[in-house]
Amino acid sequence: MKETKKLKYLIIFSLVIIIAIIIAIIMLKVKNKEEQKMLFTPQDKEGIEYQQSIELERYEFNYVTNAIQAYIDYANKNNSSYYGSSGKVIEENEILYELLSDNYIKNNNITTKNIEEKIKKYEEKMVFIPIHIKRIKREDISIFIAEGIVENLNYEKTSVERYIVYIEPSTMLFAIEPSKEKYENLENNIQQIEKIEEKQYNKIKSVQVNLENISNKYYVDFKRLCLSLPEVAYQYLDKEYKEARFGNLENFKQYIEKNKDDIKKYAFNKYQSNMYEDYIEYICLDQYQNYYIFKENKILDYTVKLDTYTIITEKFKQEYDKSKDQNKVIMNADKWIQMLNNRDYTAAYNVLDQNFRNNKFGTVEQFENYMRENYPLHYKSQYSDFTEERGTYTLDISLSDITGEDKNEKQITLIMQLKENYEFVMSFDVTQ
C-alpha cells in the first residue's frame, strides 16, 4: 500500500515537473518574440517600451523609403552594381526577383525569365519622393502601404507609383510588391506572410535619423516637386502664404519656370528646428540664403513657406517695435534684398514708391528685366551711411556675391519712408 502511494506521488511530481518545463518553454518563446519586437521599438533608459503612437514612426518612415529606393535602384537596368571590369556580372532580374514577396511572385506567376513583362524597369537612376505612407500592421512582420513620385535626376519622366512593403524588424529584411491599385485600395490587397527569407539583397540599410537629415529630406523632395510637378508642390504651400505670395497655381508655375535654372543650383546649406506643442518647424536655408520653412504636423503632413517677408512673423514684429528708426530701415532693406535673391520681383516692385516705379519702370515686367540684367547674382549686404531728413531715410548699401565667385561689389542707395503696420515705401538709384 505504501509503495502504491509512493508511486502516485512520483507520478504527480513528474507531471508537475513536465508542466513546469512546458510553461518555461512557452514563456521563453514569448520573451524571444518580445525581444525581437523591441529591436524595432524605441526604448527608454530602463528598457521599457514607449507607448506607441498610431501614426507612422520616424524610423519606420526611413525603413520603408530605404526599401522602396533599393527596389527602384535595382529596377534600373544600367545600375553600376551590375557591372564589373569585364562587363555585366550580375543579372538585375535575379536581384529584383529576390526583393519581391513570395505571394506576389506566386499570384503573378513571376519568374526571372518573365519578370520584365510583369514589373516596371528603368533605363537610368530614378529617385522616390514619398507622398503617403501608412502602417497597416506592427507585429513580427510589419506591413506598410506607400505612394509617391518616381523621377529621374533631371526632374523629368515622372510617374506615380504605389507599393506594399513588408518588413521583419528583428532581421531588417524586407519584401516588396509594386501595385497598380489606387492608394486608398492598397490595404485590400495585403496578404499576410509569416516570415521573410534572407537573401543577398533584401536587407534594409539603416540610416541615422536626426533633425538635419529630416530637414534635408524635406528640402530635397520639395525642390524636386517644384521642378518636376509644380502643381503638386503648390498643394504643400501654406494656404494663407500661397494666396498672398502667388495668388493662384498658374502664377506659381510661371515663377518656377522663369527661375528653373536658379532653382536647380539651389542646395541645402543650413537648418534650424523649433519644437512646438502641436508641430515641428524646420527652417532650411540654401547657399544663397533663401528660406524654406516646413511646418510638420506629422510625418509627410506638412506645409511650406518660401520666405519670411510675405507673412510678417511675430518675432519680426517684436524686434521691429522695439527698434529705432535706423534699425527699422535696415530690417526693411534686408527684406527687399531677400525679395531680389528670391527672384520675387512682384513683391520688390510693390514696395517701391508709386511715382518712382511708374516713372522709372512702368510695369513689373520692365522692373524684373532691369533687375535681372543689373543684379543677376544672389547678394549679401553691408550697410554704411545712414541719414534722415524730414521722415525720409537714405541708406547706402554694398552688395557682394554670396558665393564669392564675383569679387566685384555693387553700390546701391535706398531712399525709404516708414509707414504704419510695418509697411514702407522706397526708391533707389537707377542707372540707365
Side-chain angles (χ1 to χ4, degrees), residues 126-224:
M126 307 294 282
V127 295
F128 177 68
I129 305 170
I131 303 297
H132 301 111
I133 296 178
K134 180 181 180 182
R135 184 184 67 248
I136 305 303
K137 177 185 175 185
R138 178 194 278 142
E139 292 182 12
D140 291 345
I141 302 293
S142 295
I143 305 173
F144 306 86
I145 57 176
E147 178 180 52
I149 309 297
V150 174
E151 64 179 46
N152 67 9
L153 297 181
N154 293 321
Y155 316 103
E156 300 167 343
K157 299 181 181 178
T158 60
S159 62
V160 178
E161 304 295 338
R162 302 172 188 94
Y163 307 93
I164 300 171
V165 183
Y166 302 87
I167 297 176
E168 188 175 70
S170 62
T171 60
M172 295 293 285
L173 299 175
F174 75 92
I176 200 164
E177 297 177 3
S179 178
K180 295 180 181 179
E181 290 287 344
K182 292 183 177 180
Y183 177 75
E184 53 268 26
N185 297 331
L186 278 180
E187 193 169 344
N188 301 327
N189 292 348
I190 290 173
Q191 293 183 302
Q192 302 296 327
I193 58 178
E194 298 300 323
K195 186 173 179 58
I196 301 175
E197 182 182 348
E198 182 171 3
K199 299 169 186 175
Q200 188 172 356
Y201 297 94
N202 68 332
K203 193 161 190 173
I204 296 171
K205 294 179 181 178
S206 183
V207 177
Q208 182 183 12
V209 180
N210 57 41
L211 293 171
E212 182 175 4
N213 289 344
I214 296 167
S215 302
N216 191 13
K217 176 65 175 170
Y218 276 141
Y219 169 85
V220 170
D221 286 352
F222 183 73
K223 171 187 169 179
R224 284 198 156 275

Side-chain angles (χ1 to χ4, degrees), residues 2 8 65 72 77 85 93 179 259 327 359 389:
K2 287 183 179 180
K8 287 182 179 179
T65 53
I72 293 171
K77 298 178 182 179
S85 57
N93 289 348
S179 178
N259 299 288
N327 197 47
N359 292 333
E389 184 176 350

Side-chain angles (χ1 to χ4, degrees), residues 17-31:
I17 295 296
I18 292 170
I19 292 170
I21 292 172
I22 292 172
I23 292 172
I25 292 171
I26 292 172
M27 293 298 294
L28 183 60
K29 287 184 177 180
V30 171
K31 182 180 178 183

Side-chain angles (χ1 to χ4, degrees), residues 152-378:
N152 67 9
L153 297 181
N154 293 321
Y155 316 103
E156 300 167 343
K157 299 181 181 178
T158 60
S159 62
V160 178
E161 304 295 338
R162 302 172 188 94
Y163 307 93
I164 300 171
V165 183
Y166 302 87
I167 297 176
E168 188 175 70
S170 62
T171 60
M172 295 293 285
L173 299 175
F174 75 92
I176 200 164
E177 297 177 3
S179 178
K180 295 180 181 179
E181 290 287 344
K182 292 183 177 180
Y183 177 75
E184 53 268 26
N185 297 331
L186 278 180
E187 193 169 344
N188 301 327
N189 292 348
I190 290 173
Q191 293 183 302
Q192 302 296 327
I193 58 178
E194 298 300 323
K195 186 173 179 58
I196 301 175
E197 182 182 348
E198 182 171 3
K199 299 169 186 175
Q200 188 172 356
Y201 297 94
N202 68 332
K203 193 161 190 173
I204 296 171
K205 294 179 181 178
S206 183
V207 177
Q208 182 183 12
V209 180
N210 57 41
L211 293 171
E212 182 175 4
N213 289 344
I214 296 167
S215 302
N216 191 13
K217 176 65 175 170
Y218 276 141
Y219 169 85
V220 170
D221 286 352
F222 183 73
K223 171 187 169 179
R224 284 198 156 275
L225 289 176
C226 285
L227 291 168
S228 61
L229 294 167
E231 62 275 13
V232 177
Y234 187 73
Q235 296 176 32
Y236 283 96
L237 294 177
D238 174 86
K239 183 178 179 181
E240 181 186 3
Y241 173 83
K242 67 184 176 186
E243 290 176 355
R245 170 79 188 268
F246 298 106
N248 56 54
L249 172 59
E250 286 308 310
N251 288 339
F252 177 70
K253 291 171 74 172
Q254 289 175 18
Y255 168 79
I256 297 297
E257 186 60 34
K258 281 184 177 181
N259 299 288
K260 185 171 286 188
D261 290 341
D262 271 346
I263 296 171
K264 287 180 179 179
K265 298 175 185 176
Y266 296 161
F268 179 83
N269 188 37
K270 297 178 182 178
Y271 82 99
Q272 176 183 324
S273 61
N274 300 310
M275 308 289 182
Y276 298 98
E277 184 176 353
D278 299 326
Y279 66 93
I280 303 175
E281 181 182 65
Y282 302 98
I283 302 174
C284 304
L285 288 174
D286 63 29
Q287 74 273 41
Y288 301 122
Q289 303 300 302
N290 293 319
Y291 282 85
Y292 309 81
I293 304 167
F294 298 88
K295 178 183 177 182
E296 181 195 62
N297 301 305
K298 58 185 179 181
I299 297 172
L300 292 180
D301 176 11
Y302 63 88
T303 58
V304 191
K305 297 177 184 176
L306 301 179
D307 61 69
T308 60
Y309 56 78
T310 297
I311 298 176
I312 301 176
T313 65
E314 289 301 318
K315 182 178 180 181
F316 179 91
K317 291 177 181 179
Q318 292 171 8
E319 185 175 349
Y320 194 90
D321 288 340
K322 66 184 181 182
S323 295
K324 295 182 179 179
D325 285 354
Q326 179 175 354
N327 197 47
K328 289 179 180 179
V329 171
I330 291 175
M331 290 174 73
N332 289 331
D334 281 339
K335 286 170 61 176
W336 195 69
I337 300 301
Q338 187 185 153
M339 294 171 190
L340 299 184
N341 285 342
N342 216 17
R343 306 309 191 217
D344 187 0
Y345 296 110
T346 300
Y349 178 81
N350 287 338
V351 299
L352 297 179
D353 175 80
Q354 188 172 2
N355 291 330
F356 169 78
R357 70 189 187 198
N358 288 341
N359 292 333
K360 294 296 184 180
F361 306 108
T363 66
V364 66
E365 289 77 15
Q366 290 174 312
F367 170 73
E368 178 177 340
N369 291 337
Y370 174 86
M371 298 307 293
R372 284 187 184 274
E373 182 179 349
N374 290 276
Y375 298 91
L377 305 175
H378 295 80

